[in-house]
């Protein structure tokens, strides 16, 4: 993607900033963020940073492509204030797409979620039956439904990307997220500072950990191919939290046992296991993950070693 004018909402956040900084090497990029989970410190000087909410009027949507990543992105955020969560994730999505449409932009790539698949150890394909158990999941499914409406009624191009567990570490723009950062970032920071990482339950839950660089490539390819529909971005491999801590200990040269704590998230909504089937995205664009989990662990730990 070159010489395009691009808007990244949530552009000061973890994934958004990595995407904006990458695109800014060859494009004119605006990163829009309301400052809740993002910070201008994450974006390069080549990116135009706008502090604004996706609920506002007069968004800078006079662009060629919109990457809509702005969201309240956790179960807890939505439980704290379900109405606000719905406004940001659903109304903010509709508001952004409507303004983009009015400004003549017809290519939108947006963040959905893999959480809707629930707990699965087998790879989850996009066409499997899904169940919504949380306000967060409901808001992302609403995005997908509105995207279908915009596709069918206005002939817009919208690709919904169901991210699996995206990581890099506090050295990769996750530091500002604190307790909302991916568990790998939190575990690595704990171990590097001599603290025991806290694992829910017995630590045997698994995640399909996908490096942010692979996610960024997938987002860009979705726009370049003008994809419609929803697509998984994940590796097809899963690691349990105990193994993650072992690998981090090995890379950091530490030997700290984790602390096992009671899971504060109700068992009936907690996603215990995730694993992606990314064949649909591969068939559409040729995308596949390029960063192995071992390499990813090295990248996470590099700032500490």
């Amino acid at each position: 993607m070159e010489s395009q004018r691009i808007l990244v909402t949530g552009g000061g956040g973890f994934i958004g900033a990595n995407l904006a900084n990458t695109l800014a090497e060859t494009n004119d990029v605006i990163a829009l963020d309301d400052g809740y989970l993002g910070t201008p410190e994450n974006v390069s000087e080549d990116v135009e940073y706008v502090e604004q909410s996706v609920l506002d009027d007069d968004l800078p949507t006079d662009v060629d492509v919109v990457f809509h990543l702005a969201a309240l992105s956790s179960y807890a955020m939505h439980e704290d204030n379900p109405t606000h969560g719905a406004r940001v994730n659903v109304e903010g999505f509709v508001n952004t797409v409507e303004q983009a449409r009015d400004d003549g932009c017809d290519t939108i790539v947006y963040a959905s979620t893999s959480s809707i698949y629930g707990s699965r150890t087998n790879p989850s394909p996009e066409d499997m039956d899904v169940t919504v158990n949380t306000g967060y999941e409901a808001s992302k499914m609403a995005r997908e439904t509105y995207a279908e409406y915009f596709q069918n009624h206005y002939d817009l191009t919208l690709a919904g990307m169901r991210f699996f567990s995206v990581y890099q570490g506090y050295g990769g723009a996750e530091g500002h997220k604190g307790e909302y950062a991916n568990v790998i970032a939190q575990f690595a920071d704990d171990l590097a500072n001599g603290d025991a990482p806290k694992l829910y339950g017995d630590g045997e839950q698994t995640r399909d950990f996908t490096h942010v660089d692979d996610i960024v490539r997938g987002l860009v390819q979705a726009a370049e191919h003008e994809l419609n529909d929803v697509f998984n971005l994940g590796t097809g491999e899963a690691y349990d939290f105990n193994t993650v801590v072992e690998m981090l200990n090995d890379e950091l040269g530490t030997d700290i046992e984790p602390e096992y704590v009671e899971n504060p998230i109700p068992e009936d909504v907690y996603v215990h296991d995730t694993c992606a089937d990314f064949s649909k995205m591969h068939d559409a664009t040729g995308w596949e993950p390029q960063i192995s989990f071992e390499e990813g662990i090295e990248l996470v730990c590099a700032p500490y070693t």
Side-chain angles (χ1 to χ4, degrees):
M1 187 174 290
E2 295 182 357
S3 303
Q4 300 286 298
R5 183 166 171 80
I6 297 168
L7 171 64
V8 181
T9 71
F14 167 43
I15 300 174
N18 278 278
L19 175 64
N21 293 342
T22 297
L23 288 169
E25 296 173 6
T26 54
N27 299 277
D28 179 13
V29 179
I30 304 165
L32 182 144
D33 205 289
D34 68 359
Y36 176 57
L37 286 176
T39 170
E41 297 174 0
N42 282 340
V43 301
S44 73
E45 60 184 15
D46 297 325
V47 175
E48 178 185 349
Y49 188 86
V50 175
E51 187 163 335
Q52 197 174 5
S53 168
V54 292
L55 294 168
D56 291 344
D57 297 328
D58 300 320
L59 297 176
T61 48
D62 185 12
V63 295
D64 298 302
V65 180
V66 172
F67 290 94
H68 184 73
L69 306 183
L72 296 185
S73 54
S74 78
Y75 164 79
M77 293 177 195
H78 286 262
E79 291 305 300
D80 289 343
N81 192 333
T83 301
H84 182 62
R87 287 204 68 208
V88 173
N89 283 18
V90 184
E91 184 182 340
F93 173 72
V94 174
N95 185 48
T96 302
V97 175
E98 279 285 353
Q99 291 188 47
R101 182 176 68 86
D102 288 343
D103 284 333
C105 174
D106 59 5
T107 301
I108 295 110
V109 179
Y110 66 95
S112 185
T113 181
S114 63
S115 296
I116 56 171
Y117 294 126
S119 293
R120 280 175 56 88
T121 54
N122 292 326
S124 301
E126 291 87 346
D127 60 358
M128 67 171 280
D129 291 336
V130 296
T131 301
V132 171
N133 292 310
T134 68
Y136 168 62
E137 294 166 6
S139 71
K140 290 301 184 77
M141 285 299 290
R143 281 187 177 187
E144 294 186 5
T145 301
Y146 268 103
E148 185 177 5
Y149 152 66
F150 284 120
Q151 290 162 357
N152 293 337
H153 196 64
Y154 294 108
D155 200 29
L156 299 184
T157 297
L158 292 100
M161 313 311 290
R162 293 177 177 173
F163 302 147
F164 282 71
S165 193
V166 188
Y167 75 99
Q168 161 50 22
Y170 287 163
E174 277 195 278
H176 68 287
K177 292 184 68 174
E179 65 179 306
Y180 296 118
N182 187 275
V183 293
I184 292 179
Q186 297 187 57
F187 294 168
D189 198 63
D190 287 338
L191 293 169
N193 288 288
D195 298 324
K198 291 181 171 60
L199 274 60
Y200 293 164
D202 59 7
E204 289 300 310
Q205 61 270 66
T206 63
R207 293 289 180 273
D208 186 330
F209 293 107
T210 310
H211 193 270
V212 69
D213 288 356
D214 284 328
I215 295 292
V216 165
R217 283 191 308 101
L219 288 164
V220 172
Q221 289 182 23
E224 290 176 335
H225 287 79
E226 298 183 344
L227 296 184
N228 271 312
D229 210 356
V230 292
F231 299 86
N232 289 335
L233 288 181
T235 70
E237 298 180 352
Y239 291 82
D240 65 73
F241 287 10
N242 289 318
T243 298
V244 171
V245 172
E246 290 175 12
M247 294 174 70
L248 290 169
N249 267 317
D250 289 344
E251 184 64 26
L252 292 167
T254 52
D255 186 17
I256 301 173
E257 291 292 322
E259 177 185 349
Y260 297 96
V261 300
E262 185 177 351
N263 190 344
I265 301 174
E267 186 176 338
D268 58 344
V269 301
Y270 183 66
V271 177
H272 194 275
D273 305 286
T274 68
C275 188
D277 177 348
F278 65 85
S279 59
K280 182 178 177 181
M281 184 64 181
H282 181 268
D283 291 345
T285 68
W287 180 91
E288 59 184 30
Q290 294 182 353
I291 296 178
S292 70
F293 192 54
E294 291 75 13
E295 182 183 355
I297 290 288
E298 292 176 4
L299 292 169
V300 169
C301 295
Y304 301 109
T305 57

